[in-house]
Amino acid sequence: MPKILIDGFNPSSYPIHDYVTLRSNVSSPVDFTGWWLIVENQSGRYIFPPGFILGPGQSVNIHSGVGTNNPGDLYVGLPSSIWIVSNNCAYLRCSSGELVDHHRVK
């Protein structure tokens, strides 16, 4: 199982600035096809775009709001912020459904 860490949150009342950061802690690229990020206090989940690759030591921000995906920023497309909720938790799961990491907003 590749070690991808939920590295922290940037809570904001503006969805475009509200994000969770994932960081790769492995020495080879990781293909996120089929991976998803679940938010504890929300009913939905974010499914990573097919073919999204996170390189060794790289980070990506998963924004609540709307934007254009690029190698460092991905967008859920919601009209409201999800990481601003205190005590919310993010769960990262790989394509087999296995828990990769989880982290709680402080």
Side-chain angles (χ1 to χ4, degrees):
M1 169 68 59
K3 189 62 178 164
I4 304 296
L5 305 171
I6 297 175
D7 202 31
F9 301 93
N10 186 64
S12 171
S13 58
Y14 297 100
I16 193 87
H17 300 297
D18 183 58
Y19 60 85
V20 61
T21 301
L22 305 181
R23 182 175 46 87
S24 171
N25 199 22
V26 295
S27 58
S28 58
V30 176
D31 184 348
F32 274 68
T33 300
W35 287 46
W36 70 89
L37 185 67
I38 300 172
V39 182
E40 183 175 72
N41 294 340
Q42 303 285 330
S43 59
R45 64 181 173 174
Y46 174 73
I47 300 171
F48 287 84
F52 176 76
I53 305 285
L54 190 61
Q58 290 184 328
S59 297
V60 62
N61 298 318
I62 314 300
H63 298 264
S64 296
V66 177
T68 303
N69 290 343
N70 63 66
D73 297 285
L74 298 173
Y75 297 85
V76 178
L78 297 174
S80 59
S81 299
I82 54 179
W83 306 117
I84 198 167
V85 179
S86 179
N87 209 28
N88 204 348
C89 193
Y91 298 90
L92 179 64
R93 296 192 178 269
C94 67
S95 57
S96 69
E98 186 176 347
L99 182 65
V100 176
D101 196 20
H102 70 284
H103 194 77
R104 190 164 299 282
V105 176
K106 303 284 184 193

